[in-house]
Amino acid sequence: MATFFGEVVVAPSRAGLDEEEEEREETPEDREIRRELEKKRYGRLRAGRRQRCRARIAVLWSGLAQQPLVCSRFVVAIGRNAAAFLSSFILDSVCWEVVGVVKLWNEWCRTSSATNVLPTDSFCLFYRLISDPTVLLCQCSCYVAEDQQFQWLEKVFGSMQKEGLQVTILSTCPVADYKTQESTLTLASPFLKALKTKEFQEQVCCPLLEQPNIVRDLPAA
């Protein structure tokens, strides 16, 4: 349970567990569509009983032989607006170098099957600060499906050391989704709000997000 509103807490989740899911009634057309998607999006089904398959997500690093990676600060921009902010205000210099990529496939995002670390159609890249190699950025403008989020986190953070690691997530949402007693028409847009864990002891750069607003999808994960 959160000790204050605005604190990020870890909720129980079945994501990533190979447990048999409850079957819902579906039409023959639904079953055919699901089978075709599973062929492209997942691994093989084990004989005997149906298991939850592992989504095909791969993290490729270039020139970073040391595992786990020594990282002090990791900034993740999720969504096109947040990724564009990184491009315009942080990455628009020669201080950064591309060191990795996430390759995935779903109905809205399809990266190539090539094995090179920097495919031209990649929408999720990792950058390293040349002057301080322990600072990493991730620019993720692609859609990560709900059943792929656990593996995305598992693969990305599984490559990094956790001790002393500070993670900052940047994401955006429409002003119309912001819940407030004021009229959203009178709000100065854009504006910035924050969530933080209790381990984060530094001063936040903006007010905390008010009740009952929440974050969703990959930023929440």
Side-chain angles (χ1 to χ4, degrees):
M1 180 180 296
T3 56
F4 61 90
F5 186 83
E7 178 185 357
V8 178
V9 296
V10 179
S13 174
R14 294 178 58 195
L17 300 178
D18 291 330
E19 295 181 0
E20 197 166 351
E21 296 182 321
E22 293 180 283
E23 296 291 340
R24 293 182 298 175
E25 291 186 8
E26 56 183 357
T27 64
E29 292 80 9
D30 291 336
R31 286 193 292 271
E32 180 62 27
I33 292 173
R34 176 173 53 78
R35 281 195 295 267
E36 291 301 317
L37 288 174
E38 286 177 344
K39 290 178 183 178
K40 296 180 179 180
R41 187 169 168 183
Y42 301 105
R44 295 182 301 174
L45 294 178
R46 298 180 184 176
R49 72 185 184 97
R50 185 172 177 270
Q51 304 259 349
R52 179 182 293 185
C53 303
R54 304 294 287 178
R56 293 177 178 173
I57 293 180
V59 179
L60 305 177
W61 299 97
S62 173
L64 300 178
Q66 183 180 358
Q67 294 286 340
L69 303 176
V70 177
C71 184
S72 61
R73 292 179 181 267
F74 183 41
V75 180
V76 187
I78 300 175
R80 296 186 181 277
N81 291 332
F85 175 83
L86 277 191
S87 296
S88 300
F89 296 100
I90 299 179
L91 294 173
D92 190 20
S93 68
V94 294
C95 300
W96 302 88
E97 60 178 346
V98 179
V99 293
V101 65
V102 174
K103 297 166 65 68
L104 58 86
W105 190 101
N106 57 49
E107 295 88 308
W108 294 273
C109 177
R110 306 179 184 185
T111 60
S112 71
S113 58
T115 57
N116 57 307
V117 71
L118 299 176
T120 56
D121 62 347
S122 174
F123 301 98
C124 188
L125 294 175
F126 296 95
Y127 298 84
R128 178 173 61 179
L129 184 61
I130 297 176
S131 60
D132 185 356
T134 67
V135 178
L136 295 179
L137 301 182
C138 177
Q139 193 177 36
C140 182
S141 59
C142 63
Y143 172 76
V144 181
E146 289 184 2
D147 60 334
Q148 294 179 316
Q149 292 170 9
F150 176 82
Q151 193 183 14
W152 193 97
L153 295 169
E154 188 179 50
K155 292 291 184 69
V156 172
F157 286 96
S159 304
M160 302 178 184
Q161 55 83 19
K162 310 300 188 300
E163 185 177 356
L165 174 61
Q166 183 183 106
V167 181
T168 302
I169 310 295
L170 304 176
S171 66
T172 60
C173 70
V175 175
D177 292 344
Y178 180 64
K179 298 176 178 59
T180 177
Q181 295 181 349
E182 303 178 44
S183 170
T184 55
L185 297 177
T186 62
L187 291 174
S189 181
F191 57 88
L192 190 65
K193 301 288 182 176
L195 295 172
K196 70 182 184 71
T197 61
K198 60 183 179 182
E199 286 80 10
F200 185 83
Q201 300 299 326
E202 299 179 21
Q203 184 176 0
V204 293
C205 62
C206 61
L208 294 178
L209 188 65
E210 308 92 344
Q211 300 186 51
N213 295 284
I214 59 174
V215 293
R216 298 179 175 85
D217 302 320
L218 188 59

PDB file of all heavy atoms in Angstrom, residues 3-18:
ATOM      1  N   THR A   3       2.215   4.875   0.873  1.00  0.00           N
ATOM      2  CA  THR A   3       2.207   5.711   2.067  1.00  0.00           C
ATOM      3  C   THR A   3       1.720   7.126   1.764  1.00  0.00           C
ATOM      4  O   THR A   3       1.384   7.864   2.669  1.00  0.00           O
ATOM      5  CB  THR A   3       3.617   5.770   2.682  1.00  0.00           C
ATOM      6  OG1 THR A   3       4.537   6.238   1.680  1.00  0.00           O
ATOM      7  CG2 THR A   3       4.067   4.388   3.141  1.00  0.00           C
ATOM      8  N   PHE A   4       1.691   7.500   0.506  1.00  0.00           N
ATOM      9  CA  PHE A   4       1.136   8.782   0.096  1.00  0.00           C
ATOM     10  C   PHE A   4       0.727   8.669  -1.366  1.00  0.00           C
ATOM     11  O   PHE A   4       1.243   7.856  -2.105  1.00  0.00           O
ATOM     12  CB  PHE A   4       2.158   9.917   0.264  1.00  0.00           C
ATOM     13  CG  PHE A   4       3.403   9.738  -0.556  1.00  0.00           C
ATOM     14  CD1 PHE A   4       3.492  10.245  -1.845  1.00  0.00           C
ATOM     15  CD2 PHE A   4       4.491   9.048  -0.039  1.00  0.00           C
ATOM     16  CE1 PHE A   4       4.641  10.075  -2.600  1.00  0.00           C
ATOM     17  CE2 PHE A   4       5.641   8.866  -0.788  1.00  0.00           C
ATOM     18  CZ  PHE A   4       5.712   9.382  -2.062  1.00  0.00           C
ATOM     19  N   PHE A   5      -0.269   9.480  -1.757  1.00  0.00           N
ATOM     20  CA  PHE A   5      -0.689   9.416  -3.157  1.00  0.00           C
ATOM     21  C   PHE A   5       0.392  10.037  -4.027  1.00  0.00           C
ATOM     22  O   PHE A   5       0.925  11.084  -3.720  1.00  0.00           O
ATOM     23  CB  PHE A   5      -2.006  10.153  -3.379  1.00  0.00           C
ATOM     24  CG  PHE A   5      -2.531   9.968  -4.778  1.00  0.00           C
ATOM     25  CD1 PHE A   5      -3.247   8.844  -5.107  1.00  0.00           C
ATOM     26  CD2 PHE A   5      -2.257  10.894  -5.767  1.00  0.00           C
ATOM     27  CE1 PHE A   5      -3.719   8.648  -6.398  1.00  0.00           C
ATOM     28  CE2 PHE A   5      -2.710  10.706  -7.058  1.00  0.00           C
ATOM     29  CZ  PHE A   5      -3.448   9.584  -7.371  1.00  0.00           C
ATOM     30  N   GLY A   6       0.687   9.384  -5.111  1.00  0.00           N
ATOM     31  CA  GLY A   6       1.771   9.814  -5.983  1.00  0.00           C
ATOM     32  C   GLY A   6       2.969   8.905  -5.869  1.00  0.00           C
ATOM     33  O   GLY A   6       3.909   9.027  -6.644  1.00  0.00           O
ATOM     34  N   GLU A   7       2.954   7.978  -4.877  1.00  0.00           N
ATOM     35  CA  GLU A   7       4.054   7.027  -4.749  1.00  0.00           C
ATOM     36  C   GLU A   7       3.830   5.858  -5.699  1.00  0.00           C
ATOM     37  O   GLU A   7       2.708   5.363  -5.854  1.00  0.00           O
ATOM     38  CB  GLU A   7       4.147   6.500  -3.317  1.00  0.00           C
ATOM     39  CG  GLU A   7       5.244   5.465  -3.126  1.00  0.00           C
ATOM     40  CD  GLU A   7       5.241   4.881  -1.734  1.00  0.00           C
ATOM     41  OE1 GLU A   7       4.431   5.324  -0.910  1.00  0.00           O
ATOM     42  OE2 GLU A   7       6.052   3.977  -1.482  1.00  0.00           O
ATOM     43  N   VAL A   8       4.895   5.423  -6.353  1.00  0.00           N
ATOM     44  CA  VAL A   8       4.820   4.262  -7.234  1.00  0.00           C
ATOM     45  C   VAL A   8       5.009   3.006  -6.401  1.00  0.00           C
ATOM     46  O   VAL A   8       5.999   2.863  -5.695  1.00  0.00           O
ATOM     47  CB  VAL A   8       5.906   4.330  -8.331  1.00  0.00           C
ATOM     48  CG1 VAL A   8       5.839   3.092  -9.215  1.00  0.00           C
ATOM     49  CG2 VAL A   8       5.722   5.586  -9.176  1.00  0.00           C
ATOM     50  N   VAL A   9       4.032   2.108  -6.454  1.00  0.00           N
ATOM     51  CA  VAL A   9       4.122   0.849  -5.707  1.00  0.00           C
ATOM     52  C   VAL A   9       4.015  -0.313  -6.680  1.00  0.00           C
ATOM     53  O   VAL A   9       3.495  -0.188  -7.786  1.00  0.00           O
ATOM     54  CB  VAL A   9       3.011   0.742  -4.640  1.00  0.00           C
ATOM     55  CG1 VAL A   9       3.167   1.806  -3.583  1.00  0.00           C
ATOM     56  CG2 VAL A   9       1.642   0.843  -5.286  1.00  0.00           C
ATOM     57  N   VAL A  10       4.534  -1.466  -6.246  1.00  0.00           N
ATOM     58  CA  VAL A  10       4.496  -2.676  -7.068  1.00  0.00           C
ATOM     59  C   VAL A  10       3.265  -3.479  -6.693  1.00  0.00           C
ATOM     60  O   VAL A  10       3.118  -3.889  -5.536  1.00  0.00           O
ATOM     61  CB  VAL A  10       5.764  -3.520  -6.860  1.00  0.00           C
ATOM     62  CG1 VAL A  10       5.697  -4.780  -7.700  1.00  0.00           C
ATOM     63  CG2 VAL A  10       6.993  -2.712  -7.229  1.00  0.00           C
ATOM     64  N   ALA A  11       2.380  -3.690  -7.642  1.00  0.00           N
ATOM     65  CA  ALA A  11       1.164  -4.462  -7.395  1.00  0.00           C
ATOM     66  C   ALA A  11       1.369  -5.913  -7.814  1.00  0.00           C
ATOM     67  O   ALA A  11       2.158  -6.201  -8.713  1.00  0.00           O
ATOM     68  CB  ALA A  11      -0.003  -3.854  -8.174  1.00  0.00           C
ATOM     69  N   PRO A  12       0.673  -6.866  -7.144  1.00  0.00           N
ATOM     70  CA  PRO A  12       0.771  -8.268  -7.561  1.00  0.00           C
ATOM     71  C   PRO A  12       0.335  -8.433  -9.009  1.00  0.00           C
ATOM     72  O   PRO A  12      -0.612  -7.781  -9.463  1.00  0.00           O
ATOM     73  CB  PRO A  12      -0.194  -8.986  -6.607  1.00  0.00           C
ATOM     74  CG  PRO A  12      -0.340  -8.060  -5.448  1.00  0.00           C
ATOM     75  CD  PRO A  12      -0.207  -6.675  -6.004  1.00  0.00           C
ATOM     76  N   SER A  13       1.035  -9.268  -9.735  1.00  0.00           N
ATOM     77  CA  SER A  13       0.733  -9.452 -11.152  1.00  0.00           C
ATOM     78  C   SER A  13       1.020 -10.872 -11.573  1.00  0.00           C
ATOM     79  O   SER A  13       1.945 -11.514 -11.079  1.00  0.00           O
ATOM     80  CB  SER A  13       1.567  -8.485 -12.008  1.00  0.00           C
ATOM     81  OG  SER A  13       1.384  -8.757 -13.376  1.00  0.00           O
ATOM     82  N   ARG A  14       0.211 -11.384 -12.491  1.00  0.00           N
ATOM     83  CA  ARG A  14       0.443 -12.705 -13.060  1.00  0.00           C
ATOM     84  C   ARG A  14       1.205 -12.606 -14.372  1.00  0.00           C
ATOM     85  O   ARG A  14       1.440 -13.611 -15.026  1.00  0.00           O
ATOM     86  CB  ARG A  14      -0.898 -13.411 -13.321  1.00  0.00           C
ATOM     87  CG  ARG A  14      -1.673 -13.752 -12.062  1.00  0.00           C
ATOM     88  CD  ARG A  14      -2.988 -14.401 -12.414  1.00  0.00           C
ATOM     89  NE  ARG A  14      -2.768 -15.596 -13.205  1.00  0.00           N
ATOM     90  CZ  ARG A  14      -3.726 -16.218 -13.890  1.00  0.00           C
ATOM     91  NH1 ARG A  14      -4.953 -15.740 -13.880  1.00  0.00           N
ATOM     92  NH2 ARG A  14      -3.461 -17.299 -14.586  1.00  0.00           N
ATOM     93  N   ALA A  15       1.581 -11.410 -14.759  1.00  0.00           N
ATOM     94  CA  ALA A  15       2.261 -11.227 -16.040  1.00  0.00           C
ATOM     95  C   ALA A  15       3.554 -12.020 -16.072  1.00  0.00           C
ATOM     96  O   ALA A  15       4.341 -12.004 -15.141  1.00  0.00           O
ATOM     97  CB  ALA A  15       2.556  -9.750 -16.276  1.00  0.00           C
ATOM     98  N   GLY A  16       3.784 -12.722 -17.174  1.00  0.00           N
ATOM     99  CA  GLY A  16       5.015 -13.462 -17.347  1.00  0.00           C
ATOM    100  C   GLY A  16       5.000 -14.852 -16.769  1.00  0.00           C
ATOM    101  O   GLY A  16       5.964 -15.598 -16.921  1.00  0.00           O
ATOM    102  N   LEU A  17       3.916 -15.249 -16.076  1.00  0.00           N
ATOM    103  CA  LEU A  17       3.842 -16.586 -15.511  1.00  0.00           C
ATOM    104  C   LEU A  17       3.237 -17.547 -16.521  1.00  0.00           C
ATOM    105  O   LEU A  17       2.273 -17.229 -17.211  1.00  0.00           O
ATOM    106  CB  LEU A  17       2.984 -16.587 -14.235  1.00  0.00           C
ATOM    107  CG  LEU A  17       3.485 -15.685 -13.093  1.00  0.00           C
ATOM    108  CD1 LEU A  17       2.513 -15.766 -11.931  1.00  0.00           C
ATOM    109  CD2 LEU A  17       4.879 -16.103 -12.666  1.00  0.00           C
ATOM    110  N   ASP A  18       3.801 -18.754 -16.614  1.00  0.00           N
ATOM    111  CA  ASP A  18       3.314 -19.756 -17.552  1.00  0.00           C
ATOM    112  C   ASP A  18       2.173 -20.543 -16.920  1.00  0.00           C
ATOM    113  O   ASP A  18       2.254 -21.747 -16.722  1.00  0.00           O
ATOM    114  CB  ASP A  18       4.446 -20.706 -17.953  1.00  0.00           C
ATOM    115  CG  ASP A  18       5.478 -20.006 -18.793  1.00  0.00           C
ATOM    116  OD1 ASP A  18       5.089 -19.070 -19.504  1.00  0.00           O
ATOM    117  OD2 ASP A  18       6.654 -20.385 -18.733  1.00  0.00           O
TER     118      ASP A  18
END
